[in-house]
Amino acid sequence: MDFVKVWESKWNEALKLWSDYVKLTPAKFLFSEYEEKEEGLTASFAAIRLKDHRVLLSVKQIKSYQLEDYALEILGHEIGHHVYCPGDLADQAKLIYITNLAMPRLNHLTSMIVNIYEDLFINDHLKKQNHLRMEEVYQKLGKQKDPFWNFYMRTYELLWALPSSTLTEGSLCDQIQSDAALVSRMIRNFPNDWAKGMFDFASICFPYFFGENNQINSNSIKILMDTIDAGKGMTPPSGITEVEISSELFPMDGITGSKKALTPAEYSTICKSMGIEADISEITYRYYKDKALPYLVPFPERKTPGAKEEILEGNDLWDPGSPIEKINWMESTIKSPIIIPGYTTVEDVYGETTSNEIKVNPIDLDLFVDCSGSMPNPQNDLSYLTLAGAIIALSALKTGSSVRVTLWSGEKEFLVTDGFIKNEKEILKVLTGYFGGGTCFPLELLEDQYKVEPKRKRHILVISDDGIDTMFTQSYPRDPRAIVKNALEKANGGGSMVLQLYQPNKNPVVIELQQSGWEIYPIQTWTDLIKFSKDFVERNYVRNQALR
């Protein structure tokens, strides 16, 4: 194990291969199969972990491949994954997505192709800029007759001007020679923008795995897989709901040359490919939050000029029925050293006086989102209902409003947050759920919530379609119209319904709702919800923003 001490002493030197300013926790050496299993290092002799920016090394496997003399080469390579390619989880996710597009039906190989592509850039940098013995590391690993392996090794031979057969085995066909030449130019053309070449590289790799006769020797290639589970232990990444696809060699209309929006299902697949162990609700929450952020707008708030200012007028006896935090303990102790609640405890008494201050009164949001069978499942496809709800709810939270979200479908079939809350994660987890059943508006929630007028104004917002008529047409033990009218009055912050209607002017329930004070916003398609969510504030509140 003497080589371990040598490698540890070379850690700082390996960091300086990339920059004098790079700081990483020293590599972790694993001395037993148990340690390797615990850390997830089973096939390769080295790996990275993005969660804690760590390099993992298998002492046993390094010895078995006789790599003890290549400390800088291997340490420098692993550090390169942290500081150069991919660098972070978001870039890794983008490369995986692009590769999935280029290799349909072979997505199980995506992580491997991405890993090999990243290795090409890192190894070429270390060879050309630092003159390290990268080719000798591959010579230690041994030659293979596999076509893909030879294509990969031939690329290194061309990049480093090595004689043929230095890394390859046997006579190479014209296709391998041509592919290696293309990839070698790609590595040199995109050293600082390697995402541009990912689609083309994956497209070149695709034929090597297509068909029964083109199965790579999995054991040989697994030796190199050091980024397979790089995202293990991490949360789903942000900033990848849209990915730009570039291609010089394989232009495909509708895919390359522009940004492509990911679906929630594709986002989930990417997370799993990186080793991220998160449930579907967590992944979907991250997706819609990221999708909503560019659209956030200020939520309406009531501004009251000349708001009353409180001034202390004295003390009064604290009533045991009042909140305990109202007790003025200092004054109570002065009055009597022996504290007897309700007898010797006092609370402050405040009066009011006019001031020039402007009091801001956020309007809380009571959001009802239809989740019946006519609506898309937000966990598989982009749901504009969910996205609009996320935009409006997150906007409300920005100005101090509290939000209650109700996801509803059939009778007694609804999911609701624990009252009006400010926890964005809990709000979006409810929004991203799915029932897909019948349609029956949850009148009981309106009835229970608005028995008394709330302390703060609330705006009730309903997103649905023609199924909104169940608000009045369902069988309910009490008068639905009275319940809806009472809720709108008690909320005291207005009510809006954005509805996808087939015949907006002929739905009698919608007409009745509009006549009773609800603002109705008919839309043609669900994509119109994005514009609605951005216009929501101005259309409802600008004309009455200041109340005196």
Side-chain angles (χ1 to χ4, degrees):
M1 305 299 178
D2 291 340
F3 82 91
V4 173
K5 293 182 180 179
V6 175
W7 283 43
E8 288 175 337
S9 68
K10 290 182 176 292
W11 178 253
N12 287 331
E13 185 179 351
L15 289 173
K16 290 183 178 180
L17 293 171
W18 295 98
S19 171
D20 289 337
Y21 305 101
V22 174
K23 299 294 181 184
L24 288 175
T25 303
K28 183 175 183 178
F29 290 87
L30 309 177
F31 293 90
S32 67
E33 291 185 4
Y34 174 78
E35 288 181 301
E36 292 178 16
K37 186 177 180 180
E38 285 290 300
E39 297 290 348
L41 185 66
T42 54
S44 177
F45 56 82
I48 67 163
R49 194 165 57 197
L50 292 173
K51 181 181 180 181
D52 53 3
H53 303 288
R54 205 73 189 266
V55 171
L56 305 174
L57 298 168
S58 167
V59 173
K60 178 182 176 181
Q61 293 187 66
I62 289 172
K63 291 185 67 178
S64 68
Y65 291 110
Q66 299 179 354
L67 296 171
E68 298 97 320
D69 295 333
Y70 298 94
L72 286 181
E73 285 78 8
I74 294 173
L75 291 175
H77 177 92
E78 300 307 323
I79 292 169
H81 279 301
H82 279 299
V83 303
Y84 175 40
C85 186
D88 59 38
L89 197 62
D91 283 344
Q92 180 77 353
K94 291 175 183 177
L95 295 182
I96 285 176
Y97 175 65
I98 294 170
T99 304
N100 279 339
L101 290 179
M103 300 184 67
R105 301 187 300 279
L106 295 177
N107 294 158
H108 61 286
L109 300 174
T110 295
S111 297
M112 180 193 77
I113 297 300
V114 169
N115 201 151
I116 289 173
Y117 181 68
E118 293 167 344
D119 285 356
L120 282 164
F121 283 100
I122 293 170
N123 290 335
D124 190 52
H125 176 93
L126 293 173
K127 178 67 177 177
K128 300 297 290 185
Q129 302 297 324
N130 305 105
H131 310 292
L132 296 183
R133 303 163 296 167
M134 306 310 296
E135 73 281 7
E136 293 184 23
V137 174
Y138 288 100
Q139 287 175 328
K140 289 289 184 179
L141 297 179
K143 296 182 179 181
Q144 305 286 339
K145 292 184 178 181
D146 180 85
F148 180 76
W149 182 269
N150 280 313
F151 147 65
Y152 181 43
M153 291 298 110
R154 182 57 183 161
T155 303
Y156 283 127
E157 290 178 346
L158 294 176
L159 283 170
W160 303 334
L162 301 174
S164 182
S165 299
T166 301
L167 302 175
T168 56
E169 175 77 13
S171 178
L172 305 183
C173 66
D174 292 342
Q175 187 64 51
I176 290 178
Q177 297 280 10
S178 175
D179 289 345
L182 281 173
V183 172
S184 64
R185 290 200 295 270
M186 191 184 303
I187 301 304
R188 291 290 165 79
N189 286 339
F190 304 125
N192 298 315
D193 196 5
W194 27 263
K196 281 188 175 180
M198 186 72 257
F199 187 90
D200 289 341
F201 178 77
S203 298
I204 291 171
C205 294
F206 181 76
Y208 289 93
F209 303 98
F210 194 77
E212 295 181 358
N213 297 325
N214 292 319
Q215 298 300 316
I216 192 168
N217 184 329
S218 59
N219 290 328
S220 63
I221 206 70
K222 282 181 179 179
I223 299 169
L224 308 177
M225 299 298 99
D226 52 356
T227 67
I228 290 294
D229 292 322
K232 191 172 183 179
M234 300 187 71
T235 57
S238 299
I240 61 164
T241 54
E242 289 186 348
V243 176
E244 185 172 353
I245 313 297
S246 299
S247 175
E248 298 289 335
L249 306 175
F250 303 95
M252 297 176 65
D253 293 338
I255 293 183
T256 59
S258 61
K259 287 188 175 181
K260 190 173 185 305
L262 278 68
T263 66
E266 289 171 331
Y267 183 68
S268 178
T269 299
I270 290 171
C271 291
K272 291 176 181 177
S273 297
M274 295 188 295
I276 294 175
E277 299 170 344
D279 59 38
I280 189 65
S281 63
E282 174 73 15
I283 292 172
T284 311
Y285 150 66
R286 292 280 176 177
Y287 173 87
Y288 281 97
K289 179 183 177 181
D290 212 37
K291 199 78 174 174
L293 288 177
Y295 299 101
L296 296 192
V297 291
F299 196 69
E301 56 189 20
R302 302 296 191 187
K303 294 182 179 180
T304 309
K308 299 295 183 181
E309 182 178 354
E310 291 186 336
I311 58 171
L312 181 63
E313 291 185 340
N315 306 113
D316 197 3
L317 188 66
W318 176 79
D319 189 296
S322 299
I324 195 169
E325 58 266 21
K326 286 190 174 183
I327 297 176
N328 185 325
W329 294 103
M330 179 65 72
E331 291 295 332
S332 298
T333 305
I334 292 173
K335 182 177 180 180
S336 173
I338 300 174
I339 301 296
I340 303 175
Y343 292 94
T344 65
T345 48
V346 297
E347 62 179 81
D348 294 334
V349 176
Y350 292 91
E352 291 184 344
T353 184
T354 57
S355 75
N356 294 321
E357 296 294 324
I358 295 178
K359 186 176 182 180
V360 175
N361 305 289
I363 298 177
D364 293 336
L365 174 66
D366 199 358
L367 177 60
F368 291 81
V369 180
D370 190 344
C371 188
S372 57
S374 58
M375 307 302 172
N377 185 341
Q379 297 174 1
N380 295 330
D381 302 302
L382 174 58
S383 168
Y384 286 96
L385 290 88
T386 303
L387 180 56
I391 292 170
I392 295 170
L394 292 177
S395 296
L397 294 178
K398 283 181 65 178
T399 56
S401 299
S402 296
V403 178
R404 181 178 78 155
V405 174
T406 301
L407 201 66
W408 57 279
S409 183
E411 185 176 358
K412 304 293 182 183
E413 196 173 35
F414 54 79
L415 181 64
V416 61
T417 56
D418 185 15
F420 286 80
I421 61 175
K422 295 185 178 182
N423 186 322
E424 69 171 33
K425 188 171 184 179
E426 294 304 315
I427 288 168
L428 290 185
K429 280 195 172 182
V430 171
L431 267 175
T432 54
Y434 188 66
F435 288 111
T439 306
C440 184
F441 187 86
L443 280 172
E444 55 266 50
L445 295 182
L446 278 184
E447 184 178 25
D448 293 342
Q449 190 64 53
Y450 295 99
K451 289 180 179 179
V452 296
E453 185 172 331
K455 293 181 179 180
R456 296 210 309 193
K457 296 179 185 295
R458 295 173 182 168
H459 187 94
I460 303 174
L461 173 61
V462 180
I463 304 177
S464 184
D465 56 12
D466 286 279
I468 193 62
D469 60 10
T470 60
M471 182 176 274
F472 288 168
T473 60
Q474 63 179 281
S475 177
Y476 198 74
R478 288 165 293 283
D479 182 10
R481 288 168 173 79
I483 292 171
V484 173
K485 180 182 179 182
N486 175 72
L488 188 59
E489 291 175 351
K490 290 283 186 14
N492 201 24
S496 303
M497 293 186 180
V498 53
L499 308 171
Q500 185 184 43
L501 303 172
Y502 293 105
Q503 295 180 310
N505 299 322
K506 295 185 179 180
N507 190 311
V509 171
V510 172
I511 294 172
E512 185 178 349
L513 286 166
Q514 189 168 28
Q515 291 173 347
S516 64
W518 289 85
E519 294 284 348
I520 305 297
Y521 301 103
I523 59 174
Q524 296 295 319
T525 64
W526 291 124
T527 55
D528 296 337
L529 278 168
I530 301 302
K531 184 178 186 305
F532 165 81
S533 61
K534 292 196 297 183
D535 295 343
F536 179 74
V537 177
E538 183 177 356
R539 294 170 70 178
N540 282 282
Y541 292 91
V542 167
R543 61 180 180 272
N544 293 316
Q545 190 169 18
L547 300 182
R548 295 185 182 273

